[in-house]
Amino acid sequence: MTLIKQLAPQDEFVGYYILRELAVKQTNGTPPKDYFDIVLGDSSGQLTAKYWDVSATDKETFFPMSLVKIRGIAHTYREKLQVKITKIRPVNEADGIALTDFIRSAPIRPVDLVHTIKNAMNSIADPDIAGIVSFCVGKVEEKLMHYPAAKTHHHAYFAGLAYHMVRMLEIGDFLCKQRPFLNPDLLKAGIILHDIAKPEEMISQLGIVSDYSVQGKLIGHISMASNWITEAAIRTGLDLESEKVMALQHLVLSHHNLGEWGSPVQPQTAEAVALHHIDALDAKLQMVEDALDTTPETEEWTPFIRGLENKAVYRLKI
Amino acid sequence: MTLIKQLAPQDEFVGYYILRELAVKQTNGTPPKDYFDIVLGDSSGQLTAKYWDVSATDKETFFPMSLVKIRGIAHTYREKLQVKITKIRPVNEADGIALTDFIRSAPIRPVDLVHTIKNAMNSIADPDIAGIVSFCVGKVEEKLMHYPAAKTHHHAYFAGLAYHMVRMLEIGDFLCKQRPFLNPDLLKAGIILHDIAKPEEMISQLGIVSDYSVQGKLIGHISMASNWITEAAIRTGLDLESEKVMALQHLVLSHHNLGEWGSPVQPQTAEAVALHHIDALDAKLQMVEDALDTTPETEEWTPFIRGLENKAVYRLKI
Amino acid sequence: MTLIKQLAPQDEFVGYYILRELAVKQTNGTPPKDYFDIVLGDSSGQLTAKYWDVSATDKETFFPMSLVKIRGIAHTYREKLQVKITKIRPVNEADGIALTDFIRSAPIRPVDLVHTIKNAMNSIADPDIAGIVSFCVGKVEEKLMHYPAAKTHHHAYFAGLAYHMVRMLEIGDFLCKQRPFLNPDLLKAGIILHDIAKPEEMISQLGIVSDYSVQGKLIGHISMASNWITEAAIRTGLDLESEKVMALQHLVLSHHNLGEWGSPVQPQTAEAVALHHIDALDAKLQMVEDALDTTPETEEWTPFIRGLENKAVYRLKI
Amino acid sequence: MTLIKQLAPQDEFVGYYILRELAVKQTNGTPPKDYFDIVLGDSSGQLTAKYWDVSATDKETFFPMSLVKIRGIAHTYREKLQVKITKIRPVNEADGIALTDFIRSAPIRPVDLVHTIKNAMNSIADPDIAGIVSFCVGKVEEKLMHYPAAKTHHHAYFAGLAYHMVRMLEIGDFLCKQRPFLNPDLLKAGIILHDIAKPEEMISQLGIVSDYSVQGKLIGHISMASNWITEAAIRTGLDLESEKVMALQHLVLSHHNLGEWGSPVQPQTAEAVALHHIDALDAKLQMVEDALDTTPETEEWTPFIRGLENKAVYRLKI
Amino acid sequence: MTLIKQLAPQDEFVGYYILRELAVKQTNGTPPKDYFDIVLGDSSGQLTAKYWDVSATDKETFFPMSLVKIRGIAHTYREKLQVKITKIRPVNEADGIALTDFIRSAPIRPVDLVHTIKNAMNSIADPDIAGIVSFCVGKVEEKLMHYPAAKTHHHAYFAGLAYHMVRMLEIGDFLCKQRPFLNPDLLKAGIILHDIAKPEEMISQLGIVSDYSVQGKLIGHISMASNWITEAAIRTGLDLESEKVMALQHLVLSHHNLGEWGSPVQPQTAEAVALHHIDALDAKLQMVEDALDTTPETEEWTPFIRGLENKAVYRLKI
Amino acid sequence: MTLIKQLAPQDEFVGYYILRELAVKQTNGTPPKDYFDIVLGDSSGQLTAKYWDVSATDKETFFPMSLVKIRGIAHTYREKLQVKITKIRPVNEADGIALTDFIRSAPIRPVDLVHTIKNAMNSIADPDIAGIVSFCVGKVEEKLMHYPAAKTHHHAYFAGLAYHMVRMLEIGDFLCKQRPFLNPDLLKAGIILHDIAKPEEMISQLGIVSDYSVQGKLIGHISMASNWITEAAIRTGLDLESEKVMALQHLVLSHHNLGEWGSPVQPQTAEAVALHHIDALDAKLQMVEDALDTTPETEEWTPFIRGLENKAVYRLKI
């Protein structure tokens, strides 16, 4: 089977793909005819495709985010590669194909990522802090198994959010050893809580964010997490004015560092300063790694990366 | 009795004043002698003063924010007017002097301001919204009787916060009549809640803010109010995900309009857009009115006003 | 008759519309054929349309901004709704159709808006100020009957400029009562004059701005109005250096508040501060109201609104 | 006679100086005594000085901006050089001293500068343009003989404004020859008019700006000049809408290039682009030349120069 | 022969042109057919063209940047003029056509420009400075004969870089005469060196930049030139810490003036301040001149010019 | 002996201190008398001190940065603690006092820091890269034993630069293990080279920067290091255009990330992105640690820290 990122103009091919997007459209002729405007996907990338002469049955058979077997031909249209589909059918059980094979995903199994996060949570020595973290994780535990960390910015794939947390926890562990003045309980809690409300801020399926939720737009994940900590403190019987509640809310509220990046307050505790920079370090390096991974080895330069001052990254030959 | 803003160089005078600031210092001589470095205040302004040759008794008699009767002489020192105190004693009951006569204050009695705010609160038709507002007002009701709206920016005097709310409620009423698409319940609630956590963000006595609280610096009044709404919803049994809770939190979170001004989200409902602009309009016009009021009539220009792009205001002769 | 905002794919329909734009183009075939590339409009919105096989007569019959009766079919082209016109003829008198029924317009009759503005002008007590206002209004009186307040930003429809003035005058009246330190003559004059040169800055027909004038680009409406005040003072025999002329020019020059928004000076009189904030309040709230009005009731969110930090507005269900 | 910039600690000296500033102050003793707080000036710089034990006669004898003969001693106070005056008397005719010898001044005689400007004005071929320029120059002709170009930014000395114009005219002449597509009439007019209202924007004596005028703050020199062009056009019978009037107003209005630098429109004609860059080139190079000239030759670095991104300039030894 | 900027819809024409871009594409039909997507160029401008029904031979005959003779017809497609090519053949010797006649070019012959630059270089009195300049010019001497000064910003045509240098040298000469405190050796050297590494920063053919080099992106022309000066100093035996080497590197490093424009240090010598402003003046005026030259005389406005705050320039009728 | 940070008003004390600053000044009396204006220092902090009635011998005995034994009394002057010195003598050998005990210093011995850096350098596998690093380190090896990393920003103490490098190398090691796509040779080289020219950019003694060098101001440490790499490549016979030279120069040039922070190019290789974020993480955390360390334990808040958005850091009690 041909991976999408290996297709070249004039290739004829057969394979299994996911219909990442599918819309019924009409040609400009008289009378206009229906056709499918499709975005095909697999684990290696995605590509626009057309399926002409759509029948009434077709329109009831094919849906976005479902798997199909297709026969097609690649060609160039307006300087971009495109696929003309000549045959298409839904995947059936006999094909033995799993949906998750066709999407980009963190390089570690979600179940292992969540296991690592829970281990970190359980290693928090202070029971009040552990209780708040546990309450908040409980709200999104199921979604942690598949949510991305962002729509496009970084870790934008299946279980990307949990992967981001796990790598940050590793860096946090190292820094607490290197600099004993940092409080490991607070830093772990901050890492786990900082993006904990993202699964409620975004609407996502299979690692692909389709939109932000109304809550996400009107409140934002930073204030949502702050509110969750208030709720957690009430539910676990903690004083809302206590230094612990305040320290955790401060970690979450300040982790974007500047007002123009969404933080209503700036980092003013040691752990809050650490959290912001661990977050930036992990996110930026993952952007670079992912961009290099998904750019053909023959290309010297990745595409422009918005989160890196919109610069491309050069693949050194050293 | 001579008002501070009427003193001129060489004036000898007797009168009652408040000791807004008082510090014991030492002269640079050998041996060094103690003296009082004082900021005298009355309702018209404030002025630096020195009281030399301080005795041990004096140091146990005089304290900041207490009233005194003094005899003094005004003179110019380093281009500024200053007072040399020649006689000083604490005010006693026989003097019949009240502390609040000596501080800058809103032009309406605090009790009337709070009454107006409560009337507005009681006029909110939706019981869920009214319940949240009532819970939050309950947290700071006593402080509303005297807190300023800011440290220096605007309404920085006794009961300034309540005065700011009342004037905004008047503008809000007018706008709801002019533009019926605005929801009066939400706008009233937004006006009352938008700065409701300021009394916990700042530490203030007699309308003078001495500092921000730790909560104020690490969480900020905007996020504190958002957390209070969460708490109010739990206490009053409201669904935390309900549109009403979200709408109120959005009003509070977005009222500074931009991230760089402290709002983690931007106004995205009709009432949130209205709230931001009513807040700005009232604050800026009050800055102008207060600056003109406290500048001698003989001066064409007020001092520079930070909140007005650091411009002075010209007193037109039309 | 079907309103444009009610059309759905596959609808066949007949109705009266305005040709907001019309261009003769050629197909890519051999030989190329002429066709009309059209933007149809009515009071509810606008839509792209094509009329194929254009005859020589057609090209002399149909012109932009004229009314037509058409038969057409709606379909989807490149993800957008489009109309294919099958029959078209000019409107004739027997149809009994008026051009102004087909354009977006202020909700109050232009004649009433201008009447209100003139009443405000006549209520200015100071004859010198009234004289300058009257001279400037005289320059654009006819255009006030139909000019929009901006190309797209806000009040971008028939008589939008006059509507903006009238609503601002209402707010100004309220504020002068609430805050007697404001001078009503100056505030009224400022409101009427602040955008008075817009009809010469923009080229507009039927409430639709097609471009900025050369004067508009090289001088700008703010400086044009300032020059007009100079002209008015000369014509009415006022001293050019008088405080009144200066106050009016300052109101106009400063009303955009900041240099980067086009104001060469910042507001430095009480009325100039008020004017800027009244302008902002009215413009922003009108953007919200208009966006909600022109978005189908079934949509939760309006389109992005450039003047509101490019945010969409959410239609609360409270 | 000792020049101010040659004074060193412990120098005793006698000489003629100007009293750039003089204030009567009082010592902090009991009883306080009067003294003069003085800024001495000569053509080489300025220095703080004190004159103790001021008599009643002294207070009626000495005034700011008058010439005196003094005996004094230089010493260091708070890390700065200061003068203690031991003897002081007003200059009398017998001394044969001229005020203008004691102030910083353009290196060319004012009468010659104004002559050059008038020659340029008279060389404008287009009579309409020449008429407008002549009218505006007429408004400030006398002040051109001594006004500086700015308070501190550049050319901040006697006849600095005229000197700035003359040097710009030289650059303009060169550029018109190098690039014949530039219109010399417009460029000359733009150079003469661009800062023509500065003498009314600032209050200045002997090349020293003490403040901005009310007009200067509320209207600004850019809009004042634009209004003057309107006035000139009316007085000389030119059509206010003519391309010539518009071109001249555009030159003036756009010469600060950006809104945040005070220009309500940006340069959009060839000559306006040229004018802005000639203005910047001349102002910046003059700042450098003046800073190097007034910094002792033994210093490698000039003081920080605000107009050069607040950088100091290094005196190369090449 | 018809110049590109004179073509109008429906024109049939024959002429010689350069194939500025040529791509083989496929139609969307079944089976897809090959066609050429072409950008035709001549000295007056450029235009999109299509050549349908491309044969196998055609694909081996026609290449980008080669000259062809074509027969074609102009028509409007999606509101833009386009050419349909009906006949095409390569130019042969008999046609007597030179490639350089078909590209935009500086108005002075490259050989003369380079001659002028070398004269300036040879007029540098200081042999150390002259040696460094000579070494650096030697690195790109051949490319100076044809490289543009930028991709699109300014002087973006054949020999544009050398033309930019020559015009700046003229301005520099004038300024050194007007202001003798400037060091002519340093200013000449700065002008010649400031963009000397551009030919290695960009990849260009016939005055058209196709991309930036890897060096160009990772090091940038400013730091490349600084490194070249280090190399030159080593090769010519100069002390790397000498004031001359430092002065030249400072000129190059600071000539973009601000960090956000690419300069790691800001101008801090007289000549560095001059260099930046001469560069800006020449670049901006050339943008204006070129925009006016390449806009049809009948157009009042040029297209928007990115380097001029994205403003268009108005062609005054004075 | 009393540490400076333990002194309180009225304390009389005897001890050894360093004269961080010493200036001879004169009193304002008649005749003026000489006195020493001193900044005393020890490892815990610094304090202003005065020594009155300075003799001619004193002026030849005491110098900045020398050790003294003093007797003094602490008192408050203008709200700040100050010392009045009553007795002072130079330290002699018998006192057994070492200069380095009196300055702030990295917590690891310089010799060990430099040893670690050299180990890292020697572990670079690629001999070309190792050669360049070795050449550059060789230029400043001696100064690495004591130079700070910055004037005030971070690591502003004895051997602070080497300490910064060592901690960054530790983080780099960890990241290369966590993310094998990073090249350890390049990252080590980048860490060692990124600030390698700082000892030539700044003038420093005993960990205290007194000024920037002329090279430092005109070229800056970033471009200086880039030039050194060019020099190193020439001296070690490497091709100046090789990918290795380019990669190292890119690391150095881009490590401040943005133009406004001094980098002429932005990070565009994986290691350059990592370098910038490791640098930021180490610098910011060290600022926090140092601020907490040097703030009395009884203080909740550190002073404002410029490099942390000018925020203070709160000492959590968790």
Side-chain angles (χ1 to χ4, degrees), chain D residues 167 170 174 178-179 181 243 258 268 277 281-282 284 286 289 309 312-314 316-318, chain E residues 167 170 174 178-179 181 183 243 257-258 268 277 281-282 284 286 289 309 313-314 316-317:
Chain D
R167 300 293 263 185
E170 291 168 11
F174 167 79
Q178 192 195 35
R179 297 168 197 259
F181 80 105
E243 190 123 334
L258 295 183
Q268 294 163 76
H277 285 283
L281 176 63
D282 184 67
K284 305 292 182 184
Q286 199 59 43
E289 185 170 1
E309 320 300 334
V313 166
Y314 179 69
L316 282 164
K317 289 173 288 289
I318 299 178
Chain E
R167 301 291 263 184
E170 292 168 9
F174 167 79
Q178 193 196 34
R179 298 167 196 259
F181 80 105
N183 179 326
E243 190 122 333
N257 199 39
L258 296 182
Q268 292 163 79
H277 285 282
L281 176 64
D282 185 67
K284 304 292 181 185
Q286 200 60 45
E289 185 170 0
E309 319 302 333
V313 167
Y314 179 70
L316 283 165
K317 288 172 288 289

Side-chain angles (χ1 to χ4, degrees), chain B residues 142-164:
Chain B
E142 200 183 355
K143 290 184 174 171
L144 269 184
M145 295 292 287
H146 65 92
Y147 253 71
K151 195 169 174 190
T152 52
H153 201 55
H154 65 102
H155 297 85
Y157 39 69
F158 199 80
L161 178 56
Y163 186 51
H164 181 40

Side-chain angles (χ1 to χ4, degrees), chain D residues 126 129 166-168 170-171 174-175 178-183 186 243-247 257-258 261 266-271 273-274 277-278 280-286 288-289 292 300-301 308-309 311-318, chain E residues 126 129 166-168 170-171 174-175 178-183 186 243-247 257-258 261 266-271 273-274 277-278 280-286 288-289 292 300-301 308-309 311-318:
Chain D
D126 183 292
I129 295 174
V166 166
R167 300 293 263 185
M168 285 178 69
E170 291 168 11
I171 304 174
F174 167 79
L175 283 177
Q178 192 195 35
R179 297 168 197 259
F181 80 105
L182 293 171
N183 178 327
L186 284 176
E243 190 123 334
K244 287 173 192 170
V245 172
M246 182 177 71
N257 200 37
L258 295 183
W261 299 339
Q266 280 61 63
Q268 294 163 76
T269 64
E271 291 76 21
V273 172
H277 285 283
I278 295 169
L281 176 63
D282 184 67
K284 305 292 182 184
L285 285 178
Q286 199 59 43
V288 173
E289 185 170 1
L292 288 167
E300 275 188 330
W301 291 91
L308 289 174
E309 320 300 334
K311 293 284 175 193
V313 166
Y314 179 69
R315 193 192 300 277
L316 282 164
K317 289 173 288 289
I318 299 178
Chain E
D126 183 291
I129 295 173
V166 165
R167 301 291 263 184
M168 285 178 68
E170 292 168 9
I171 304 174
F174 167 79
L175 283 177
Q178 193 196 34
R179 298 167 196 259
F181 80 105
L182 294 171
N183 179 326
L186 284 175
E243 190 122 333
K244 288 173 191 168
V245 171
M246 183 178 70
N257 199 39
L258 296 182
W261 300 341
Q266 280 60 64
Q268 292 163 79
T269 63
E271 291 77 20
V273 173
H277 285 282
I278 296 169
L281 176 64
D282 185 67
K284 304 292 181 185
L285 285 179
Q286 200 60 45
V288 173
E289 185 170 0
L292 288 168
E300 276 188 329
W301 291 91
L308 289 174
E309 319 302 333
K311 292 285 174 190
V313 167
Y314 179 70
R315 192 193 301 276
L316 283 165
K317 288 172 288 289
I318 299 178

Side-chain angles (χ1 to χ4, degrees), chain F residues 4 16-20 39-43 45-47 102:
Chain F
I4 278 172
Y16 297 101
Y17 303 91
I18 188 172
L19 298 172
R20 287 186 68 143
V39 178
L40 288 182
D42 65 12
S43 64
Q46 60 180 61
L47 204 52
F102 288 82

Side-chain angles (χ1 to χ4, degrees), chain D residues 10 75-76 79 84 301, chain F residues 25-26 28 30 77 214 217:
Chain D
Q10 318 306 53
H75 62 105
T76 305
E79 307 189 35
K84 179 172 175 175
W301 291 91
Chain F
K25 297 201 177 152
Q26 289 183 302
N28 209 9
T30 319
Y77 179 65
V214 174
K217 291 179 193 167

Side-chain angles (χ1 to χ4, degrees), chain B residues 113-181:
Chain B
L113 293 169
V114 172
H115 185 74
T116 303
I117 294 167
K118 289 202 156 179
N119 275 356
M121 185 171 94
N122 294 331
S123 76
I124 295 175
D126 182 292
D128 296 336
I129 295 174
I132 288 175
V133 174
S134 175
F135 179 91
C136 294
V137 169
K139 277 188 174 257
V140 294
E141 189 167 343
E142 200 183 355
K143 290 184 174 171
L144 269 184
M145 295 292 287
H146 65 92
Y147 253 71
K151 195 169 174 190
T152 52
H153 201 55
H154 65 102
H155 297 85
Y157 39 69
F158 199 80
L161 178 56
Y163 186 51
H164 181 40
M165 285 182 185
V166 165
R167 301 292 264 185
M168 285 178 68
L169 285 168
E170 291 168 10
I171 304 175
D173 268 2
F174 167 78
L175 284 177
C176 284
K177 276 174 207 137
Q178 192 195 34
R179 298 169 196 258
F181 80 105

